[in-house]
Amino acid sequence: MLVDQLARALVTAMVTLVESVESGRDAERVALNTLEEIAHLLGEMTSDDRQEFRDLLERVAAAEPERADFVRGLPGALGLDGAS
């Protein structure tokens, strides 16, 4: 379910940010590892969930024009362009 995958990805990002601040770990390595883990979690979505995710991102892009290109590029950046 899309909501479950998004919640898990958000938790991953939040935990990593908090832990990296507390531990002073290498920010670049932490960021790359976190992005890979988020991509993996979201990669578990079904084809229908991926389409719903793309639709959701399109609404976010429309609401945040200054970030629209970045938001619209997320599925490709996360390797979610193909079918599950």
Side-chain angles (χ1 to χ4, degrees):
M1 175 180 271
L2 176 63
V3 173
D4 294 335
Q5 299 308 106
L6 292 175
R8 289 174 60 203
L10 177 61
V11 167
T12 294
M14 297 296 295
V15 166
T16 302
L17 288 171
V18 169
E19 288 177 352
S20 66
V21 168
E22 290 174 352
S23 71
R25 294 185 304 185
D26 176 47
E28 183 177 343
R29 183 181 55 79
V30 170
L32 290 174
N33 288 344
T34 302
L35 289 172
E36 288 173 357
E37 187 171 351
I38 289 169
H40 171 75
L41 290 169
L42 295 180
E44 296 175 354
M45 291 186 291
T46 65
S47 294
D48 288 344
D49 284 345
R50 287 179 189 213
Q51 184 56 53
E52 187 177 349
F53 181 60
R54 285 188 289 271
D55 294 344
L56 172 63
L57 290 178
E58 187 56 41
R59 291 192 302 274
V60 170
E64 299 192 30
E66 69 282 355
R67 296 180 181 171
D69 290 340
F70 177 84
V71 172
R72 287 184 179 112
L74 283 173
L78 294 169
L80 303 175
D81 284 342
S84 65

Coordinates of all heavy atoms in Angstrom, one line a residue:
M1 N 0.8 -1.2 0.0 CA 0.0 0.0 0.0 C 0.9 1.2 0.0 O 1.9 1.3 0.7 CB -0.9 0.0 1.2 CG -1.7 1.2 1.4 SD -2.8 1.2 2.8 CE -4.2 0.4 2.1
L2 N 0.5 2.2 -0.8 CA 1.4 3.4 -1.0 C 1.6 4.1 0.3 O 2.8 4.5 0.6 CB 0.7 4.3 -2.0 CG 1.3 5.7 -2.2 CD1 2.7 5.5 -2.8 CD2 0.5 6.6 -3.1
V3 N 0.6 4.3 1.1 CA 0.8 5.0 2.4 C 1.9 4.3 3.3 O 2.7 5.0 3.9 CB -0.5 5.2 3.1 CG1 -0.3 5.8 4.5 CG2 -1.5 6.0 2.3
D4 N 1.8 3.0 3.3 CA 2.8 2.3 4.1 C 4.2 2.5 3.6 O 5.2 2.7 4.4 CB 2.5 0.8 4.1 CG 1.2 0.4 4.8 OD1 0.7 1.2 5.6 OD2 0.6 -0.6 4.4
Q5 N 4.4 2.4 2.3 CA 5.8 2.6 1.7 C 6.2 4.0 1.9 O 7.4 4.2 2.3 CB 5.7 2.3 0.2 CG 5.3 0.9 -0.1 CD 6.1 -0.2 0.6 OE1 5.6 -0.8 1.5 NE2 7.4 -0.4 0.2
L6 N 5.4 5.0 1.8 CA 5.8 6.4 2.0 C 6.1 6.6 3.5 O 7.1 7.3 3.8 CB 4.7 7.3 1.6 CG 4.4 7.4 0.0 CD1 3.2 8.3 -0.3 CD2 5.7 7.9 -0.7
A7 N 5.3 6.0 4.4 CA 5.6 6.2 5.8 C 7.0 5.6 6.2 O 7.7 6.2 6.9 CB 4.5 5.6 6.6
R8 N 7.2 4.4 5.6 CA 8.5 3.7 5.9 C 9.7 4.6 5.4 O 10.7 4.7 6.0 CB 8.5 2.3 5.3 CG 7.6 1.4 6.1 CD 7.5 0.0 5.4 NE 8.8 -0.6 5.3 CZ 9.1 -1.6 4.4 NH1 8.2 -2.0 3.6 NH2 10.3 -2.1 4.4
A9 N 9.5 5.1 4.2 CA 10.6 6.0 3.6 C 10.8 7.2 4.4 O 11.9 7.7 4.6 CB 10.2 6.3 2.1
L10 N 9.7 7.9 4.9 CA 9.8 9.0 5.7 C 10.5 8.7 7.0 O 11.4 9.5 7.5 CB 8.4 9.6 6.0 CG 8.4 10.9 6.9 CD1 9.2 12.0 6.3 CD2 7.0 11.3 7.1
V11 N 10.1 7.6 7.6 CA 10.8 7.2 8.9 C 12.3 7.0 8.7 O 13.1 7.5 9.5 CB 10.1 6.0 9.5 CG1 11.0 5.4 10.6 CG2 8.7 6.3 10.0
T12 N 12.6 6.4 7.6 CA 14.0 6.1 7.2 C 14.8 7.4 7.1 O 15.9 7.6 7.7 CB 14.2 5.4 5.9 OG1 13.6 4.1 6.1 CG2 15.6 5.2 5.5
A13 N 14.2 8.4 6.4 CA 14.9 9.7 6.3 C 15.0 10.4 7.6 O 16.1 11.0 7.9 CB 14.1 10.6 5.3
M14 N 14.0 10.4 8.4 CA 14.0 11.1 9.7 C 15.0 10.5 10.7 O 15.8 11.2 11.3 CB 12.6 11.1 10.3 CG 11.6 11.9 9.5 SD 11.9 13.6 9.3 CE 11.8 14.2 11.0
V15 N 15.0 9.2 10.8 CA 15.9 8.5 11.7 C 17.4 8.8 11.2 O 18.2 9.1 12.1 CB 15.6 7.0 11.7 CG1 16.8 6.2 12.3 CG2 14.3 6.7 12.4
T16 N 17.6 8.7 10.0 CA 19.0 8.9 9.5 C 19.4 10.3 9.7 O 20.6 10.6 10.1 CB 19.0 8.6 7.9 OG1 18.6 7.3 7.7 CG2 20.4 8.8 7.4
L17 N 18.6 11.3 9.5 CA 18.9 12.7 9.8 C 19.3 12.9 11.3 O 20.3 13.5 11.6 CB 17.8 13.7 9.4 CG 17.6 13.8 7.9 CD1 16.4 14.6 7.6 CD2 18.9 14.5 7.2
V18 N 18.4 12.4 12.1 CA 18.7 12.5 13.6 C 20.0 11.8 14.0 O 20.8 12.4 14.7 CB 17.5 12.0 14.4 CG1 17.8 11.9 15.8 CG2 16.2 12.9 14.2
E19 N 20.1 10.6 13.5 CA 21.3 9.9 13.9 C 22.6 10.5 13.4 O 23.6 10.5 14.0 CB 21.2 8.4 13.4 CG 20.3 7.6 14.2 CD 20.1 6.2 13.7 OE1 20.7 5.9 12.6 OE2 19.4 5.4 14.4
S20 N 22.5 11.1 12.1 CA 23.7 11.7 11.6 C 24.1 12.9 12.3 O 25.3 13.2 12.5 CB 23.6 11.9 10.1 OG 22.6 12.9 9.8
V21 N 23.1 13.7 12.7 CA 23.4 14.9 13.5 C 24.0 14.5 14.9 O 25.0 15.1 15.3 CB 22.1 15.7 13.7 CG1 22.3 16.8 14.7 CG2 21.7 16.3 12.4
E22 N 23.4 13.5 15.5 CA 23.9 13.1 16.8 C 25.3 12.5 16.8 O 26.1 12.6 17.7 CB 22.9 12.1 17.4 CG 21.6 12.8 17.8 CD 20.6 11.8 18.3 OE1 20.8 10.6 18.2 OE2 19.5 12.3 18.8
S23 N 25.6 11.8 15.7 CA 26.9 11.0 15.7 C 28.0 11.8 14.9 O 29.1 11.4 15.0 CB 26.7 9.7 15.0 OG 26.4 9.8 13.6
G24 N 27.6 12.8 14.1 CA 28.6 13.5 13.3 C 29.2 12.7 12.2 O 30.3 13.0 11.8
R25 N 28.4 11.7 11.7 CA 28.9 10.8 10.6 C 29.1 11.6 9.3 O 28.6 12.7 9.2 CB 28.0 9.7 10.4 CG 27.9 8.7 11.6 CD 27.1 7.5 11.3 NE 25.7 7.9 10.9 CZ 24.7 7.1 10.6 NH1 25.0 5.8 10.7 NH2 23.6 7.5 10.3
D26 N 29.9 11.0 8.4 CA 30.1 11.6 7.1 C 28.8 11.9 6.4 O 28.1 10.9 6.0 CB 31.0 10.7 6.3 CG 31.2 11.1 4.9 OD1 31.6 12.3 4.7 OD2 31.1 10.3 4.0
A27 N 28.5 13.1 6.2 CA 27.2 13.5 5.6 C 27.0 13.0 4.2 O 25.8 12.5 3.9 CB 27.1 15.0 5.6
E28 N 28.0 13.0 3.4 CA 27.8 12.5 2.0 C 27.4 11.0 2.0 O 26.5 10.6 1.3 CB 29.0 12.8 1.2 CG 28.9 12.4 -0.3 CD 30.1 12.8 -1.1 OE1 30.9 13.6 -0.7 OE2 30.2 12.2 -2.2
R29 N 28.2 10.2 2.7 CA 27.9 8.8 2.8 C 26.6 8.5 3.3 O 25.8 7.7 2.8 CB 29.0 8.1 3.6 CG 28.9 6.6 3.6 CD 30.0 5.9 4.5 NE 30.1 6.4 5.8 CZ 29.2 6.1 6.8 NH1 28.2 5.2 6.6 NH2 29.4 6.6 8.0
V30 N 26.2 9.2 4.4 CA 24.9 9.0 5.0 C 23.8 9.3 4.1 O 22.8 8.6 3.9 CB 24.8 9.8 6.3 CG1 23.4 9.8 6.9 CG2 25.8 9.3 7.4
A31 N 23.9 10.4 3.4 CA 22.9 10.9 2.4 C 22.7 9.8 1.3 O 21.6 9.5 1.0 CB 23.3 12.2 1.8
L32 N 23.8 9.4 0.7 CA 23.7 8.4 -0.3 C 23.1 7.1 0.2 O 22.3 6.5 -0.5 CB 25.1 8.1 -0.9 CG 25.7 9.3 -1.8 CD1 27.1 8.9 -2.2 CD2 24.8 9.5 -3.0
N33 N 23.5 6.6 1.3 CA 23.0 5.4 1.9 C 21.5 5.5 2.1 O 20.7 4.6 1.9 CB 23.7 5.0 3.2 CG 25.1 4.4 2.9 OD1 25.4 4.1 1.8 ND2 25.9 4.4 4.0
T34 N 21.1 6.7 2.6 CA 19.7 6.9 2.9 C 18.8 7.0 1.6 O 17.8 6.4 1.6 CB 19.5 8.3 3.7 OG1 20.3 8.2 4.9 CG2 18.0 8.5 4.0
L35 N 19.4 7.6 0.6 CA 18.6 7.7 -0.7 C 18.5 6.3 -1.3 O 17.4 5.9 -1.8 CB 19.4 8.6 -1.7 CG 19.3 10.1 -1.3 CD1 20.2 10.9 -2.3 CD2 17.9 10.6 -1.4
E36 N 19.5 5.5 -1.1 CA 19.4 4.1 -1.6 C 18.4 3.3 -0.8 O 17.6 2.5 -1.4 CB 20.8 3.4 -1.5 CG 21.8 3.9 -2.5 CD 23.2 3.3 -2.3 OE1 23.4 2.6 -1.4 OE2 24.1 3.7 -3.2
E37 N 18.3 3.5 0.5 CA 17.4 2.7 1.3 C 15.9 3.2 1.0 O 15.0 2.4 0.8 CB 17.6 2.9 2.8 CG 16.7 2.0 3.6 CD 17.1 2.0 5.1 OE1 18.2 2.6 5.5 OE2 16.3 1.5 5.9
I38 N 15.8 4.5 0.8 CA 14.4 5.0 0.4 C 14.0 4.5 -1.0 O 12.9 4.0 -1.1 CB 14.4 6.6 0.4 CG1 14.5 7.1 1.8 CG2 13.2 7.1 -0.3 CD1 14.8 8.6 2.0
A39 N 14.9 4.5 -1.9 CA 14.6 3.9 -3.3 C 14.2 2.5 -3.1 O 13.3 2.0 -3.8 CB 15.8 4.1 -4.2
H40 N 14.9 1.7 -2.3 CA 14.6 0.3 -2.1 C 13.2 0.1 -1.5 O 12.4 -0.7 -2.0 CB 15.6 -0.4 -1.2 CG 15.3 -1.8 -0.8 ND1 15.3 -2.8 -1.7 CD2 14.7 -2.2 0.4 CE1 14.9 -3.9 -1.0 NE2 14.5 -3.6 0.2
L41 N 12.9 0.9 -0.5 CA 11.6 0.8 0.1 C 10.5 1.2 -0.8 O 9.5 0.5 -0.9 CB 11.5 1.7 1.4 CG 12.4 1.3 2.6 CD1 12.4 2.4 3.6 CD2 11.8 0.0 3.2
L42 N 10.7 2.2 -1.6 CA 9.6 2.7 -2.5 C 9.6 1.7 -3.7 O 8.5 1.6 -4.4 CB 9.9 4.1 -3.0 CG 9.7 5.1 -1.9 CD1 10.0 6.5 -2.4 CD2 8.4 5.1 -1.2
G43 N 10.7 1.0 -4.0 CA 10.7 0.1 -5.1 C 9.8 -1.1 -4.8 O 9.5 -1.9 -5.8
E44 N 9.4 -1.3 -3.6 CA 8.5 -2.4 -3.3 C 7.0 -2.1 -3.6 O 6.2 -3.0 -3.4 CB 8.7 -2.8 -1.8 CG 10.0 -3.3 -1.4 CD 10.2 -3.5 0.1 OE1 9.3 -3.1 0.9 OE2 11.3 -4.0 0.5
M45 N 6.8 -0.9 -4.1 CA 5.4 -0.6 -4.4 C 4.9 -1.4 -5.6 O 5.7 -1.7 -6.5 CB 5.3 0.9 -4.8 CG 5.5 1.9 -3.6 SD 5.2 3.6 -4.1 CE 6.6 3.9 -5.2
T46 N 3.6 -1.6 -5.7 CA 3.0 -2.3 -6.8 C 2.9 -1.3 -8.0 O 3.2 0.0 -7.8 CB 1.6 -2.7 -6.5 OG1 0.8 -1.5 -6.3 CG2 1.5 -3.6 -5.3
S47 N 2.6 -1.7 -9.2 CA 2.5 -0.8 -10.3 C 1.4 0.2 -10.1 O 1.6 1.4 -10.4 CB 2.1 -1.6 -11.6 OG 3.2 -2.5 -11.9
D48 N 0.3 -0.2 -9.5 CA -0.8 0.8 -9.1 C -0.3 1.8 -8.1 O -0.6 3.0 -8.3 CB -2.0 0.0 -8.6 CG -2.7 -0.7 -9.6 OD1 -2.5 -0.5 -10.9 OD2 -3.6 -1.6 -9.3
D49 N 0.5 1.4 -7.1 CA 1.0 2.3 -6.1 C 2.0 3.3 -6.8 O 2.0 4.5 -6.5 CB 1.7 1.6 -5.0 CG 0.7 1.0 -4.0 OD1 -0.5 1.3 -4.1 OD2 1.1 0.1 -3.2
R50 N 2.8 2.8 -7.7 CA 3.7 3.7 -8.4 C 3.0 4.7 -9.2 O 3.4 5.9 -9.2 CB 4.7 2.8 -9.3 CG 5.7 2.0 -8.6 CD 6.5 1.2 -9.5 NE 7.4 0.3 -8.7 CZ 8.6 -0.1 -9.1 NH1 9.1 0.4 -10.2 NH2 9.2 -0.9 -8.3
Q51 N 1.9 4.3 -9.8 CA 1.1 5.3 -10.6 C 0.5 6.3 -9.6 O 0.5 7.5 -9.9 CB 0.1 4.7 -11.4 CG -0.7 5.7 -12.3 CD 0.2 6.5 -13.2 OE1 1.0 5.9 -14.0 NE2 0.1 7.8 -13.1
E52 N 0.0 5.9 -8.5 CA -0.6 6.8 -7.5 C 0.5 7.7 -7.0 O 0.3 8.9 -6.7 CB -1.2 6.0 -6.4 CG -2.0 6.8 -5.4 CD -2.7 6.0 -4.3 OE1 -2.7 4.7 -4.4 OE2 -3.1 6.6 -3.3
F53 N 1.7 7.2 -6.8 CA 2.8 8.0 -6.3 C 3.2 9.1 -7.3 O 3.4 10.2 -7.0 CB 4.1 7.1 -6.1 CG 5.3 7.8 -5.5 CD1 5.3 8.4 -4.3 CD2 6.5 7.7 -6.2 CE1 6.4 9.1 -3.9 CE2 7.6 8.3 -5.8 CZ 7.6 9.0 -4.6
R54 N 3.2 8.7 -8.6 CA 3.5 9.7 -9.6 C 2.4 10.8 -9.7 O 2.7 12.0 -9.8 CB 3.6 9.0 -11.0 CG 5.0 8.3 -11.2 CD 5.2 7.8 -12.6 NE 4.3 6.7 -12.9 CZ 4.5 5.4 -12.8 NH1 5.7 5.1 -12.3 NH2 3.7 4.5 -13.1
D55 N 1.2 10.4 -9.5 CA 0.0 11.3 -9.5 C 0.2 12.3 -8.3 O 0.0 13.5 -8.4 CB -1.3 10.6 -9.4 CG -1.6 9.8 -10.7 OD1 -1.0 10.0 -11.7 OD2 -2.5 8.9 -10.6
L56 N 0.6 11.7 -7.1 CA 0.8 12.5 -5.9 C 1.9 13.5 -6.1 O 1.8 14.7 -5.8 CB 1.1 11.6 -4.7 CG 1.5 12.2 -3.4 CD1 0.4 13.1 -2.9 CD2 1.9 11.2 -2.4
L57 N 3.0 13.0 -6.7 CA 4.1 13.9 -7.0 C 3.7 15.1 -7.9 O 4.2 16.2 -7.8 CB 5.3 13.2 -7.5 CG 6.0 12.3 -6.5 CD1 7.1 11.5 -7.2 CD2 6.5 13.0 -5.3
E58 N 2.9 14.8 -8.9 CA 2.4 15.8 -9.8 C 1.6 16.9 -9.1 O 1.8 18.1 -9.3 CB 1.6 15.2 -10.9 CG 1.2 16.2 -12.0 CD 2.4 16.9 -12.6 OE1 3.5 16.2 -12.9 OE2 2.3 18.1 -12.9
R59 N 0.8 16.4 -8.1 CA 0.1 17.4 -7.3 C 1.0 18.3 -6.4 O 0.9 19.5 -6.3 CB -1.0 16.7 -6.4 CG -2.1 16.1 -7.2 CD -3.3 15.7 -6.3 NE -3.0 14.7 -5.3 CZ -3.0 13.4 -5.5 NH1 -3.2 12.9 -6.7 NH2 -2.7 12.6 -4.5
V60 N 2.0 17.6 -5.9 CA 3.0 18.4 -5.1 C 3.8 19.3 -6.0 O 4.0 20.5 -5.6 CB 4.0 17.4 -4.4 CG1 5.2 18.1 -3.8 CG2 3.3 16.5 -3.4
A61 N 4.2 18.9 -7.2 CA 4.9 19.8 -8.1 C 4.0 21.0 -8.5 O 4.5 22.1 -8.6 CB 5.3 19.0 -9.4
A62 N 2.7 20.8 -8.7 CA 1.9 21.9 -9.0 C 1.7 22.9 -7.9 O 1.6 24.1 -8.1 CB 0.5 21.4 -9.4
A63 N 1.8 22.4 -6.6 CA 1.7 23.2 -5.5 C 3.0 23.9 -5.1 O 3.0 24.9 -4.4 CB 1.2 22.4 -4.3
E64 N 4.1 23.4 -5.6 CA 5.4 23.9 -5.3 C 6.2 24.2 -6.6 O 7.1 23.4 -6.9 CB 6.2 23.0 -4.3 CG 5.4 22.8 -3.0 CD 6.3 22.1 -2.0 OE1 7.6 22.3 -2.0 OE2 5.8 21.4 -1.1
P65 N 5.8 25.2 -7.3 CA 6.5 25.4 -8.6 C 8.0 25.6 -8.6 O 8.7 25.2 -9.5 CB 5.8 26.6 -9.2 CG 5.0 27.2 -8.1 CD 4.8 26.2 -7.0
E66 N 8.5 26.1 -7.5 CA 9.9 26.3 -7.4 C 10.7 25.0 -7.3 O 11.9 24.9 -7.5 CB 10.3 27.2 -6.2 CG 10.1 26.7 -4.8 CD 8.6 26.6 -4.3 OE1 7.7 27.2 -5.0 OE2 8.4 26.1 -3.2
R67 N 10.0 23.9 -6.9 CA 10.6 22.6 -6.8 C 10.0 21.6 -7.8 O 10.3 20.4 -7.8 CB 10.4 22.0 -5.4 CG 11.0 22.8 -4.3 CD 10.7 22.2 -3.0 NE 11.3 23.0 -1.9 CZ 11.1 22.8 -0.6 NH1 10.3 21.8 -0.2 NH2 11.7 23.5 0.3
A68 N 9.2 22.1 -8.7 CA 8.4 21.2 -9.6 C 9.3 20.3 -10.4 O 9.0 19.1 -10.5 CB 7.6 22.0 -10.5
D69 N 10.4 20.8 -11.0 CA 11.3 19.9 -11.8 C 11.9 18.8 -10.9 O 12.0 17.7 -11.4 CB 12.4 20.8 -12.5 CG 11.9 21.7 -13.6 OD1 10.8 21.4 -14.1 OD2 12.6 22.6 -13.9
F70 N 12.4 19.2 -9.8 CA 12.9 18.2 -8.9 C 11.9 17.1 -8.5 O 12.2 15.9 -8.6 CB 13.5 18.9 -7.6 CG 14.0 17.9 -6.6 CD1 15.3 17.4 -6.7 CD2 13.2 17.4 -5.5 CE1 15.8 16.5 -5.8 CE2 13.7 16.5 -4.6 CZ 15.0 16.1 -4.7
V71 N 10.7 17.6 -8.1 CA 9.7 16.6 -7.7 C 9.3 15.7 -8.8 O 9.1 14.5 -8.6 CB 8.4 17.4 -7.2 CG1 7.3 16.5 -6.9 CG2 8.8 18.2 -5.9
R72 N 9.1 16.3 -10.0 CA 8.7 15.4 -11.2 C 9.8 14.5 -11.6 O 9.6 13.4 -12.1 CB 8.4 16.3 -12.4 CG 7.1 17.0 -12.2 CD 6.7 17.9 -13.4 NE 5.4 18.5 -13.2 CZ 5.2 19.8 -13.1 NH1 6.3 20.6 -13.2 NH2 4.0 20.3 -12.9
G73 N 11.1 14.8 -11.2 CA 12.2 13.9 -11.5 C 12.4 12.8 -10.5 O 13.2 11.9 -10.7
L74 N 11.7 12.8 -9.4 CA 11.9 11.8 -8.3 C 11.7 10.4 -8.8 O 12.5 9.5 -8.4 CB 11.1 12.1 -7.1 CG 11.6 13.3 -6.2 CD1 10.7 13.6 -5.1 CD2 13.0 12.9 -5.7
P75 N 10.6 10.0 -9.5 CA 10.5 8.6 -9.8 C 11.7 8.1 -10.6 O 12.2 7.0 -10.3 CB 9.2 8.6 -10.7 CG 8.4 9.8 -10.2 CD 9.5 10.8 -9.8
G76 N 12.2 8.9 -11.6 CA 13.3 8.4 -12.3 C 14.6 8.3 -11.5 O 15.4 7.4 -11.6
A77 N 14.8 9.3 -10.6 CA 16.0 9.3 -9.7 C 16.0 8.2 -8.8 O 17.0 7.7 -8.4 CB 16.0 10.6 -9.0
L78 N 14.8 7.7 -8.4 CA 14.7 6.6 -7.5 C 14.5 5.2 -8.1 O 14.4 4.2 -7.5 CB 13.4 6.8 -6.5 CG 13.5 8.0 -5.6 CD1 12.2 8.3 -4.9 CD2 14.6 7.8 -4.5
G79 N 14.6 5.3 -9.5 CA 14.5 4.0 -10.2 C 13.1 3.4 -10.3 O 12.9 2.2 -10.4
L80 N 12.1 4.3 -10.2 CA 10.7 3.8 -10.2 C 10.0 4.0 -11.5 O 8.8 3.8 -11.6 CB 10.0 4.6 -9.1 CG 10.5 4.5 -7.7 CD1 9.7 5.4 -6.7 CD2 10.5 3.1 -7.2
D81 N 10.7 4.2 -12.6 CA 10.1 4.4 -13.9 C 9.5 3.1 -14.5 O 8.5 3.1 -15.1 CB 11.1 5.0 -14.9 CG 11.3 6.5 -14.6 OD1 10.4 7.1 -13.9 OD2 12.3 7.1 -15.1
G82 N 10.2 2.0 -14.2 CA 9.7 0.7 -14.8 C 8.6 0.1 -14.0 O 8.2 0.6 -12.9
A83 N 8.0 -0.9 -14.5 CA 6.9 -1.6 -13.8 C 7.5 -2.4 -12.7 O 8.6 -2.8 -12.7 CB 6.1 -2.5 -14.7
S84 N 6.7 -2.7 -11.7 CA 7.1 -3.5 -10.5 C 7.1 -5.0 -10.9 O 6.5 -5.4 -11.8 CB 6.4 -3.2 -9.3 OG 5.0 -3.6 -9.4

